[in-house]
């Protein structure tokens, strides 16, 4: 493999050393110009007394250095690779001044790291290592400095000039230019630096916080987008109030700004006081955003805001500690969204959605060549480690801590313990750059005597060991004694570089159901009385046994409801039959496990059909689900008093990605066919139920509101419409497709339009074509809707291999823009990541397409390319001919000269798993 920047250099966690120099203050002046931006960087530095004397090494990439002054005079320096090295510096502990003058070219910046242009506006992205593309710096998170920033630019072209902190001065300059000076009172690492300059308009909101302080909140967007910012502003206000109410963490800035850009590598960025967002997570109007978009805006706005404490006030010592801020902040945004949702059932819906993502995608990551611990041990390119493991599994680790510091009797949600832990963490470490160990220690120290404090070292294996643990459950019942024995054992499969694992500390929340479905009191051997009817056991040995007593009189074994609320990120295994899952589906008081029971019933039978098809001539049985399951699902659908959003989740089949994770031999088109067969079966078998569900939940004239109850009704109506169109395909009905088409034409909002169009596309109806055409006509000026338009086509079910041809044709569409990450992801990313049956083709044409796009994108944006490269990393469990063809495609890309370190790292890992 040949690399653009020489041999890949691995950064290792154990090599960490403290910085030899510290930066007290930075005074930056930027003369903004698209072709050549001039940067004057005046720093006050001093030696770190804790570190032996050594030269100063500043990082810098693709910048032209013109001048270096030490305490105002010229000095000797040298450039060594991507570092500016200064040897002869004052020896004492006193601070000294360094002045660097350099230029960079924002208009040539296609990788969208550092300072770049998006539609004529300047933006920055500095996390993880983008600041070094603006000026030479100690570009590492444990160097925190006070920033003062002067921006100068042409007034007409860039009327708005923003940076972190407070605006302290502004005015005109000669030649039609103007300037603004921003001062950030909070010391921060360079990755939190930001600037924006361009033609923007803003929505402003003044608020008074609980403590009586006044703050100004602003959301900056392009002219014309202002009417789409109300939802984001509401979310921001809610997040501010929530963090103060739940954790006592107030907004520490007079001014808090969000700016939207349509060219962004990821979702959003938590720069201090100046969050920069992908438009996708700011803009929302009923006509252009779906319910899912509204929910995402709310949670991403909250996530970035919540970073203001978890990430900015206390940051990471080094990038291996990324989950310190990301896992914790995902946990916090999940809790925020749950609290916003309100009802027990709406909270459960959010939890189920989060777990669904974790299990279908993070578990896959943990089982593949990119498997890494929540705190990785090494990386070539840190941008490759902004992963589901660091984010979502990291959040589960924090959630388990919450469970393990709770006093179940007094505080079943564990909130008090968590709040104590966070309070101590922020008290202890405010203003510091720390490690995951520091976080766990604060949680334990704030909760002495808790299960976490007792087993802290063992618990921390969750940070160190990759892979998804399996928990095997065995049960036994002695009716004569009324004793119920639960044995749990654990093991975790090997992952790259980690052949053997130590046992994890696994909280298992559980309940027992009696034959009538009622919860049984839980009394363990040795306890004087039953404690509760739901409690948490802690599995920390390879194998453990618990005996529940006091069940005398119970003739048959209770039904165990294990891992309630998904109390740990593990795979639960056990010899549970259909009756077990049917009992939980009908009676479990834990909504998560009730949903899980439905999924397990579906999964078992889908996997059986898959096996049967693979072992026979390949035909897929038309009837996959047995009558009992169909009946049980019908009962759930019809059950009064059950939340429609919950019903929709329960009746949605396990995803193709999740099914693929359950088998050793993955045949993506076959998995797709089985899933389609089950959808058709349910469409027909529950036809009258779907009719009822649609009529009862569809609200054509209701004003759009994004709350969970309304969106839940819409979700169920949308599922029903999809099923009715699918049933129409078998029974020759034209009424429902006609109705769906009509919905597309006069949809009251984007959720309805998208659902109706999806119903046509996923039932393979010809009316999908004119509907798509209309959608394009109506929305051709709305970037975010165009993204949906491309994505809808890239994710359509493959009929005779036509999707690839369509996707290729769409690459030539005048609205397709490869350089815009959102657009590239909507077409190419969707096809490669979210349409497995279309990507994995016997002729290998899907892989050829993947290979060409990875190379094409890598030439200008390695981060986006590396993400796309991951679409084939799980080639190993594929059946032939896919397996060999996918491996060949990976090897072909790897052979290509001039790969970015980003893509190189992904390919090296993927091919290293070639056993
Ligand atoms: N911290 C940023 C992610 C930066 C990604 C850099 N490749 C957004 C977030 O997690 O809040
Ligand atoms: Zn984050």
């Amino acid at each position: 493999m040949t690399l653009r920047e020489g041999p890949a250099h691995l950064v290792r966690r154990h090599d960490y050393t403290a910085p030899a120099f510290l930066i007290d203050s930075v005074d930056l002046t930027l003369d903004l110009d698209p072709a050549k931006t001039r940067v004057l960087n005046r720093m006050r530095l001093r030696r770190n007394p804790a570190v032996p004397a050594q030269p100063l090494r500043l990082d810098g990439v693709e910048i032209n250095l013109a001048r270096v002054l030490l305490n105002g005079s010229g000095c000797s320096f040298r450039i060594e690779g991507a570092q500016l090295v200064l040897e002869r510096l004052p020896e004492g502990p006193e601070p000294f001044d360094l002045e660097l003058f350099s230029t960079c070219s924002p208009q040539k910046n296609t990788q969208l790291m550092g300072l770049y242009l998006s539609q004529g506006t300047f933006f920055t992205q500095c996390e993880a290592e983008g600041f070094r593309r603006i000026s030479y710096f100690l570009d590492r998170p444990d160097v925190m400095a006070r920033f003062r920033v002067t921006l100068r630019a042409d007034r007409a072209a860039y009327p708005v000039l923003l940076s972190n902190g407070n605006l302290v001065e502004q005015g005109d300059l000669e030649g039609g230019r103007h300037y603004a000076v921003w001062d950030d009172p909070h010391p921060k690492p360079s990755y939190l630096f930001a600037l924006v300059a361009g033609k923007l308009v803003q929505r402003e909101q003044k608020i008074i916080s609980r403590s009586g302080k006044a703050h100004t909140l602003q959301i900056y967007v392009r002219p014309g987008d202002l009417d789409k910012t109300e939802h984001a502003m509401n979310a921001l206000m809610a997040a501010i109030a929530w963090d103060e109410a739940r954790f006592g963490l107030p907004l520490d800035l007079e001014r808090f700004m969000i700016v939207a850009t349509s060219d962004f590598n990821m979702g959003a960025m938590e720069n201090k006081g100046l969050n920069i967002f992908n438009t996708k997570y700011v803009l929302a109007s009923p006509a252009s955003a779906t319910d899912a978009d509204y929910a995402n805006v709310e949670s991403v706005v909250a996530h970035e805001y919540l970073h203001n404490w978890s990430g900015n006030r206390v940051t990471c010592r080094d990038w291996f500690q990324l989950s310190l801020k990301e896992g914790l902040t995902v946990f916090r945004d999940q809790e925020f969204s749950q609290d916003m949702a309100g009802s027990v059932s709406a909270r459960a819906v959010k939890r189920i959605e989060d777990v669904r993502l974790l299990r279908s995608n993070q578990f896959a990551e943990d089982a593949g060549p990119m498997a890494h611990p929540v705190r990785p041990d090494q990386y070539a390119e840190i941008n490759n480690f902004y992963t589901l493991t660091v984010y979502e599994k990291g959040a589960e680790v924090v959630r388990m801590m919450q469970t393990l510091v709770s006093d179940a009797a007094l505080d079943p949600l564990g909130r008090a313990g968590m709040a104590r832990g966070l309070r101590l963490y922020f008290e202890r470490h405010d203003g510091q750059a720390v490690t995951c160990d520091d976080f766990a220690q604060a949680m334990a120290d704030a909760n002495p005597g808790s299960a976490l404090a007792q087993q802290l070292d063992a618990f921390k294996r969750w940070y160190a060991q990759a892979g998804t643990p399996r928990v095997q459950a065995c049960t036994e019942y002695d009716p004569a004694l009324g004793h119920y024995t639960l044995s749990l054992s654990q093991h975790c499969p090997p992952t790259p570089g980690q052949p053997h694992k130590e046992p994890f500390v696994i909280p298992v929340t559980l309940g027992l159901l009696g034959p009538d479905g009622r919860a049984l009191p839980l009394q363990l051997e040795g306890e004087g009385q039953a404690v509760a009817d739901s409690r948490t056991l802690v599995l920390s040995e390879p194998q453990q046994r618990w005996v529940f007593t006091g069940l005398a009189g119970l003739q048959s074994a209770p039904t165990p409801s294990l891992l309630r609320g998904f109390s740990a990120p593990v795979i639960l295994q056990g010899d549970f039959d259909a009756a077990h899952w049917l009992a939980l589906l009908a009676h479990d008081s834990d909504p998560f496990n009730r949903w899980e029971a439905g999924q397990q019933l579906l999964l078992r039978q889908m996997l059986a059909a898959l096996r049967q098809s693979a072992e026979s001539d390949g035909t897929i049985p038309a009837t996959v689900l047995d009558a009992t399951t169909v009946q049980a699902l019908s009962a759930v659908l019809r059950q009064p008093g059950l939340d429609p959003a919950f019903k929709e989740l329960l009746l949605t089949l396990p995803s193709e990605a999740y099914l693929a994770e359950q088998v050793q031999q993955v045949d993506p088109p076959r998995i797709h066919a089985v899933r389609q067969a089950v959808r058709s079966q349910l469409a027909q078998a529950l036809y009258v139920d779907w009719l009822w569900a649609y009529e009862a939940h569809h609200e054509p004239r209701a004003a759009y509101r994004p709350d969970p109850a309304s969106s839940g009704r819409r979700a169920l109506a949308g599922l029903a419409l999809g099923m009715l169109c699918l049933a129409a395909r078998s029974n020759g009905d034209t009424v429902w497709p006609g109705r769906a088409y009509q919905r597309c034409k006069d949809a009251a909002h984007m959720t309805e339009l998208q659902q109706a169009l999806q119903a046509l596309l996923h039932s393979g109806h010809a009316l999908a074509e004119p509907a798509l055409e209309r959608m394009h006509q109506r929305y051709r000026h709305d970037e975010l809707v165009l993204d949906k338009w491309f994505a809808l086509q890239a994710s359509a079910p493959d009929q005779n291999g036509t999707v690839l041809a369509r996707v290729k044709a769409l690459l030539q569409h005048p609205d397709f823009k490869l350089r815009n990450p959102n657009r590239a992801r909507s077409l190419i990313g969707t096809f490669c990541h979210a349409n497995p049956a279309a990507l994995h083709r016997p002729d290998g044409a899907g892989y050829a397409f993947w290979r060409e796009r990875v190379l094409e994108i890598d030439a200008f944006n390695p981060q986006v390319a590396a993400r796309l490269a991951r679409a084939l990393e799980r080639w190993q469990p594929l059946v032939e001919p896919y397996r060999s063809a996918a491996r060949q495609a990976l090897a072909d890309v790897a052979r290509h000269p001039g790969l970015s370190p980003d893509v190189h790292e992904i390919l090296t890992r993927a091919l290293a798993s070639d056993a």
Side-chain angles (χ1 to χ4, degrees):
M1 276 185 247
T2 22
L3 257 169
R4 198 177 292 168
E5 293 162 19
H9 168 67
L10 275 189
V11 185
R12 292 175 210 279
R13 183 163 65 85
H14 287 295
D15 292 343
Y16 173 83
T17 52
F21 292 83
L22 304 169
I23 306 178
D24 294 335
S25 62
V26 186
D27 192 335
L28 278 181
T29 302
L30 290 105
D31 262 299
L32 295 166
D33 180 90
K36 189 172 178 181
T37 286
R38 298 185 306 157
V39 182
L40 180 64
N41 172 3
R42 287 181 296 200
M43 292 178 273
R44 172 150 292 190
L45 295 104
R46 64 196 155 85
R47 293 184 184 273
N48 182 353
V51 174
Q54 49 192 283
L56 172 63
R57 296 179 167 273
L58 300 171
D59 309 295
V61 175
E62 286 173 27
I63 47 186
N64 307 307
L65 182 64
R67 190 172 75 221
V68 181
L69 298 180
L70 175 64
N71 288 329
S73 325
C75 64
S76 67
F77 63 88
R78 65 172 195 275
I79 302 288
E80 229 178 71
Q83 287 186 329
L84 166 64
V85 186
L86 287 108
E87 302 248 18
R88 275 188 252 140
L89 294 169
E91 268 161 30
E94 296 75 31
F96 58 91
D97 292 329
L98 198 62
E99 182 176 313
L100 308 177
F101 181 71
S102 59
T103 63
C104 59
S105 179
Q107 77 187 13
K108 287 200 195 135
N109 183 346
T110 57
Q111 54 178 288
L112 314 185
M113 283 298 282
L115 178 65
Y116 67 94
L117 282 160
S118 165
Q119 302 185 355
T121 294
F122 287 97
F123 288 94
T124 53
Q125 171 56 35
C126 292
E127 188 177 359
E129 298 177 336
F131 191 83
R132 62 187 63 184
R133 295 173 173 276
I134 299 173
S135 177
Y136 279 98
F137 206 73
L138 288 173
D139 194 13
R140 44 187 289 170
D142 56 352
V143 173
M144 295 163 110
R146 264 200 70 156
F147 280 69
R148 188 181 173 91
V149 178
T150 304
L151 301 177
R152 298 190 193 141
D154 184 86
R155 180 186 269 286
Y158 312 103
V160 174
L161 302 175
L162 308 174
S163 190
N164 319 81
N166 299 314
L167 178 63
V168 290
E169 205 184 313
Q170 59 185 330
D172 285 329
L173 297 167
E174 282 175 6
R177 291 173 79 79
H178 70 147
Y179 76 96
V181 182
W182 291 82
D183 184 71
D184 187 353
H186 298 276
K188 63 171 177 290
S190 49
Y191 83 86
L192 291 174
F193 165 82
L195 76 81
V196 174
K199 277 195 195 114
L200 300 166
V201 292
Q202 55 124 338
R203 172 187 290 265
E204 184 169 295
Q205 178 80 45
K206 303 268 187 203
I207 58 161
I208 306 282
S209 64
R210 286 184 146 218
S211 57
K213 289 221 177 76
H215 307 270
T216 302
L217 313 178
Q218 296 174 319
I219 300 184
Y220 288 85
V221 294
R222 270 183 316 232
D225 282 339
L226 216 46
D227 58 338
K228 296 182 184 159
T229 55
E230 187 185 353
H231 185 62
M233 184 61 91
N234 288 340
L236 178 59
M237 289 192 289
I240 293 170
W242 180 85
D243 213 16
E244 206 169 359
R246 178 141 169 207
F247 293 116
L249 300 173
L251 173 55
D252 57 5
L253 298 154
E254 288 160 35
R255 178 172 179 143
F256 188 89
M257 300 170 278
I258 287 178
V259 191
T261 170
S262 35
D263 294 282
F264 208 58
N265 281 345
M266 64 269 173
M269 178 63 214
E270 71 265 25
N271 316 300
K272 186 78 188 183
L274 180 59
N275 288 187
I276 296 182
F277 270 63
N278 188 323
T279 43
K280 185 174 161 64
Y281 297 111
V282 179
L283 304 180
S285 70
S288 61
T290 61
D291 288 334
D293 295 324
Y294 270 84
N296 286 337
V297 167
E298 180 178 278
S299 96
V300 179
V301 166
H303 179 97
E304 305 311 332
Y305 173 72
L306 299 174
H307 266 313
N308 193 46
W309 277 93
S310 46
N312 300 5
R313 286 290 283 254
V314 179
T315 194
C316 306
R317 187 193 72 173
D318 55 70
W319 291 120
F320 296 103
Q321 318 299 328
L322 184 57
S323 198
L324 173 83
K325 73 178 179 81
E326 296 304 346
L328 176 56
T329 305
V330 171
F331 168 80
R332 278 155 49 70
D333 86 51
Q334 290 175 347
E335 289 291 287
F336 165 78
S337 294
Q338 285 199 20
D339 286 354
M340 292 292 284
S343 71
V344 173
S345 154
R347 300 177 69 89
V349 164
K350 168 69 178 151
R351 180 69 184 139
I352 291 166
E353 288 166 350
D354 292 340
V355 174
R356 204 162 57 168
L357 171 73
L358 183 87
R359 291 206 302 202
S360 59
N361 297 22
Q362 193 279 326
F363 280 18
E365 184 165 277
D366 244 349
M370 268 296 282
H372 54 276
V374 168
R375 177 169 57 194
D377 291 315
Q378 55 186 47
Y379 59 77
E381 174 48 63
I382 184 57
N383 285 324
N384 283 334
F385 288 84
Y386 286 73
T387 57
L388 290 156
T389 300
V390 166
Y391 276 65
E392 309 299 322
K393 187 176 179 181
E396 294 300 319
V397 173
V398 176
R399 188 171 293 283
M400 285 189 287
M401 289 194 208
Q402 168 165 273
T403 304
L404 292 172
V405 297
S406 82
D407 179 336
L410 298 173
D411 173 27
L413 290 175
R415 289 189 162 191
M418 184 75 203
R420 273 194 300 274
L422 278 189
R423 201 176 313 127
L424 182 61
Y425 171 65
F426 287 116
E427 266 169 31
R428 242 185 218 177
H429 299 297
D430 193 10
Q432 300 174 6
V434 303
T435 65
C436 298
D437 293 308
D438 295 319
F439 177 75
Q441 195 64 51
M443 289 298 295
D445 289 351
N447 294 282
S450 65
L452 180 70
Q454 283 160 10
Q455 320 189 51
L456 185 61
D457 287 340
F459 180 83
K460 287 200 300 185
R461 289 174 192 149
W462 283 109
Y463 284 113
Q465 299 187 139
T468 309
R470 272 66 172 162
V471 172
Q472 177 81 34
C474 282
T475 61
E476 220 178 298
Y477 183 56
D478 181 341
L481 286 172
H483 281 188
Y484 181 73
T485 306
L486 171 68
S487 308
L488 296 177
S489 61
Q490 57 165 309
H491 85 276
C492 181
T495 50
Q498 294 187 333
H500 304 292
K501 320 267 175 169
E502 297 295 315
F504 290 84
V505 176
I506 302 174
V508 180
T509 304
L510 82 168
L512 297 178
L513 276 61
D516 55 357
R518 251 183 294 166
L520 298 171
L522 302 179
Q523 178 177 357
L524 284 171
E525 213 172 22
E527 290 175 346
Q529 56 179 40
V531 172
D533 52 23
S534 191
R535 60 192 285 177
T536 301
L537 307 177
V538 182
L539 171 66
S540 53
E541 304 292 327
Q543 197 155 356
Q544 267 168 277
R545 219 168 128 259
W546 291 266
V547 179
F548 292 93
T549 61
L551 300 170
L554 200 66
Q555 290 314 305
S556 55
T559 304
S561 166
L562 302 174
L563 213 64
R564 282 184 161 172
F566 202 63
S567 56
V570 301
I571 294 173
L572 177 66
Q573 300 172 327
D575 195 12
F576 302 120
D577 57 11
H580 167 89
W581 297 118
L582 284 164
L584 293 183
L585 176 59
H587 302 294
D588 203 330
S589 60
D590 180 65
F592 178 86
N593 267 8
R594 205 169 169 199
W595 169 78
E596 172 68 349
Q599 294 289 297
Q600 288 293 337
L601 279 169
L602 292 163
L603 196 60
R604 290 158 60 93
Q605 295 172 71
M606 289 167 86
L607 292 176
L610 209 49
R611 265 193 310 274
Q612 203 182 322
S613 154
E615 285 159 11
S616 67
D617 60 354
T619 37
I620 311 284
T623 310
V624 173
L625 304 180
D626 60 30
T628 328
T629 303
V630 172
Q631 181 47 42
L633 292 174
S634 161
V636 170
L637 187 50
R638 293 284 193 152
Q639 188 179 324
L642 208 56
D643 199 330
F646 180 77
K647 293 182 179 182
E648 192 269 340
L649 287 175
L650 209 138
L651 284 141
T652 297
L653 304 179
S655 68
E656 290 173 34
Y658 190 56
L659 284 160
E661 283 312 304
Q662 315 303 313
V663 293
Q664 308 293 327
Q665 299 265 303
V666 177
D667 183 337
R670 195 190 303 278
I671 290 177
H672 176 73
V674 166
R675 194 171 183 276
Q676 285 296 92
V678 178
R679 287 186 67 232
S680 295
Q681 186 191 346
L682 280 180
Q684 290 165 65
L686 303 186
Y687 189 75
V688 287
D689 300 309
W690 296 123
L691 280 176
W692 165 82
Y694 184 76
E695 297 303 347
H697 297 92
H698 172 58
E699 297 171 337
R701 275 166 295 278
Y704 180 83
R705 290 183 53 224
D707 62 276
S710 316
S711 72
R713 283 192 295 275
R714 286 190 288 269
L716 189 55
L719 179 67
L721 182 63
M723 287 302 201
L724 291 165
C725 287
L726 198 58
R729 190 159 78 172
S730 326
N731 61 25
D733 159 44
T734 54
V735 174
W736 281 100
R739 276 184 131 177
Y741 184 61
Q742 196 58 40
R743 291 266 71 81
C744 292
K745 289 208 302 201
D746 50 37
H749 45 71
M750 184 49 68
T751 304
E752 190 170 29
L753 171 57
Q754 175 150 314
Q755 286 174 343
L757 192 38
Q758 240 154 2
L760 292 172
L761 272 169
H762 289 254
S763 59
H765 204 281
L767 282 172
E769 294 307 321
L772 278 166
E773 189 51 43
R774 278 179 162 273
M775 181 179 181
H776 183 265
Q777 274 305 313
R778 182 164 162 202
Y779 289 101
R780 63 184 183 281
H781 300 301
D782 189 320
E783 292 171 351
L784 294 174
V785 180
L786 279 179
D787 290 339
K788 294 181 200 305
W789 184 78
F790 281 102
L792 276 165
Q793 298 177 74
S795 60
D798 207 21
Q799 293 175 331
N800 313 316
T802 50
V803 175
L804 177 60
R806 177 185 283 240
V807 169
K808 282 184 173 170
L810 285 170
L811 288 177
Q812 309 304 325
H813 193 281
D815 290 325
F816 183 72
K817 298 188 182 80
L818 186 68
R819 294 202 171 218
N820 173 253
N822 282 358
R823 193 59 50 81
R825 284 187 286 251
S826 70
L827 182 63
I828 303 167
T830 302
F831 177 75
C832 293
H833 283 291
N835 200 343
L839 173 72
H840 301 278
R841 298 161 53 109
D843 65 2
Y847 305 149
F849 174 81
W850 167 88
R851 185 189 68 217
E852 287 154 19
R853 303 289 84 72
V854 169
L855 287 171
E856 194 177 11
I857 297 173
D858 193 39
F860 64 88
N861 190 330
Q863 260 184 73
V864 173
R867 178 75 195 95
L868 181 63
R870 295 195 60 186
L872 284 196
E873 76 188 26
R874 303 233 47 214
W875 58 275
Q876 223 166 18
L878 292 171
V879 297
E880 294 295 356
Y882 309 113
R883 186 179 194 273
S884 299
R887 178 177 47 196
Q888 188 58 49
L890 285 156
D892 287 348
V893 176
R895 254 201 311 279
H896 203 271
L899 286 181
S900 68
D902 310 54
V903 169
H904 181 267
E905 180 170 40
I906 302 295
L907 297 176
T908 318
R909 284 192 172 239
L911 290 165
S913 63
D914 196 354

